[in-house]
Structure formats: C-alpha cells, structure tokens
C-alpha cells in the first residue's frame, strides 16, 4: 500500500455486553512473510492517535470541558538530560487557541501533549487501566504516550472505546458465547456482563 502497511487487524464488539462480533487477526492467515498466523488483535502495537481520547477523558474528569481552550503553538517540554521534547502536528502547522473538542476532532498533537502534561502520566495510565488497557504497563513512558508512544492490544483498546459508547460502563470483551459437544449438549455458556461504571 502507499503507507507501507503489510498487515491489519480488526475488532468489532457490542459495547453493551462486550460480545465480540468480529475479530480479524491478520490480513492473510497463510502469508508467512507477515506472520499471518499471529493474531495481531492480541499483540501489543502502537495505537497512534487512537489513544488520545483516553487522555482527554482523564482531563474532563479533572475539570476540563469540551470548551476548555488550549494554545496550539510550538512548545518545548523539558526532558531531563535529553534535548527538550517538541511535538508537531501532522499538518506541520500551529493553530493558536483551540478548544478541546476541536483539538480532539482534528487530532492535534501539541494540544494532546499539553493535555497529558495537565493530566500527568500516572493520571492517563490510571484512566487507561480503569478502562481495561492492561498492556500499558512500563515504568518509563514519556509525554509521547498520548501520541501512541506505548504499545497496547487492539482488543483492549476496543474494550476501552466500548465504555464511551456505553454510558461510561466498562464490559469485559467476551469471545465465546457458548460451547457445545458434538451432540449439541451445553458444556459452558457465557453469562451476561452488565459491566460496571468507570466514567
């Protein structure tokens, strides 16, 4: 492809009960060049900007609103003994004063990093864990975490997004509804998950 993508994964689930409706782990199960038999939906990968809503919802919980203004201007963030961290937007421009709703809708990087600076790394990680993203577990993340700098599992991220569509209730993704033997006798059955309120 024009973006040099060699593989893909997809997870679709019902946000009300966590039932997995579809899960595709690879573009081609039989292609050894891309390790086609590896289920990428269950492997940690960098999520890019899809992680930003986790950061913003943590900010909303701390008093920000969709109308909170953030200055989208070139900013350097101190990084200890390293050179300062200076994020850039995907369009290589700065847009001045922007509202949270616009910064998220346009996936602007500088406001996302400023939001994480407000939320703090522990604050964003706590929110991610509360929403079911257990794969974010290293001790050395930096401000680039909000731009996708930490590896997460697609299935966990889909589960986190389900809470946004479910009134803030988190449900556990459920891959198997029931197991029967060859005669149709029920061996095991998943019980409904009403979830619990996390937002």
């Amino acid at each position: 492809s024009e973006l040099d993508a060699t593989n893909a994964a997809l997870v679709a689930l019902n946000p009300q009960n966590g039932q997995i409706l579809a899960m595709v782990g690879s573009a081609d199960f039989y292609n050894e060049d891309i390790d086609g038999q590896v289920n990428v939906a269950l492997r940690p990968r960098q999520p890019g900007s899809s992680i930003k809503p986790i950061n913003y919802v943590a900010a909303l919980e701390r008093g920000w609103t969709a109308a909170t203004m953030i200055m989208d201007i070139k900013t350097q963030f101190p990084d200890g003994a390293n050179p300062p961290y200076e994020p850039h937007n995907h369009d290589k421009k700065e847009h001045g004063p922007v509202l949270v709703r616009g910064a998220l809708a346009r996936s602007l990087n500088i406001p996302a990093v400023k939001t994480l600076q407000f939320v703090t790394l522990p604050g964003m990680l706590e929110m991610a864990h509360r929403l079911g993203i257990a794969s974010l577990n290293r001790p050395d993340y930096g401000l680039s975490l909000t731009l996708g700098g930490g590896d997460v599992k697609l299935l966990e991220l889909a589960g986190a997004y389900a809470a946004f569509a479910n009134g803030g209730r988190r449900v556990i993704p459920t891959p198997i509804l029931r197991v029967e033997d060859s005669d149709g006798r029920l061996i095991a059955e998943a019980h409904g998950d009403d979830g619990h309120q996390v937002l």
Side-chain angles (χ1 to χ4, degrees):
S1 78
E2 65 185 41
L3 299 177
D4 294 325
T6 59
N7 207 346
L10 175 139
V11 171
L13 54 83
N14 182 331
Q16 275 72 51
N17 57 25
Q19 293 176 358
I20 296 173
L21 306 175
M23 182 165 67
V24 178
S26 171
D28 184 354
F29 181 82
Y30 298 104
N31 186 342
E32 292 182 13
D33 292 338
I34 62 167
D35 292 324
Q37 295 182 19
V38 173
N39 186 345
V40 182
L42 303 178
R43 294 293 176 101
R45 296 289 186 265
Q46 289 196 344
S49 292
S50 67
I51 200 75
K52 287 176 182 172
I54 308 299
N55 183 26
Y56 280 106
V57 77
L60 294 176
E61 216 176 51
R62 287 163 172 74
W64 283 19
T65 72
T68 297
M69 187 188 72
I70 310 170
M71 290 303 294
D72 179 28
I73 57 174
K74 182 178 176 179
T75 305
Q76 292 186 338
F77 298 88
D79 192 16
N82 302 315
Y85 176 51
E86 187 176 290
H88 301 280
N89 293 319
H90 55 86
D91 61 3
K92 306 297 183 206
K93 298 178 184 176
E94 291 87 39
H95 305 90
V98 296
L99 304 183
V100 163
R101 66 171 58 93
L104 178 55
R106 294 165 66 187
S107 192
L108 298 175
N109 290 340
I110 298 170
V113 173
K114 288 184 174 185
T115 301
L116 181 52
Q117 188 178 42
F118 167 71
V119 167
T120 74
L121 283 160
M124 182 177 170
L125 288 169
E126 186 279 328
M127 178 60 71
H129 296 156
R130 195 188 326 163
L131 290 169
I133 302 176
S135 48
L136 283 177
N137 53 24
R138 287 183 11 218
D140 59 345
Y141 296 116
L143 291 174
S144 67
L145 181 65
T146 189
L147 308 182
D151 292 351
V152 302
K153 295 177 183 177
L154 177 60
L155 183 58
E156 292 176 353
L157 190 59
Y161 267 73
F164 295 143
N166 197 24
R169 279 188 12 256
R170 176 185 166 209
V171 293
I172 307 299
T174 305
I176 298 172
L177 300 183
R178 56 189 289 131
V179 178
E180 299 175 352
D181 67 14
S182 59
D183 294 323
R185 289 186 295 256
L186 181 66
I187 296 172
E189 186 171 25
H191 299 288
D193 179 14
D194 292 334
H196 59 282
Q197 206 71 33
V198 294
L199 297 175

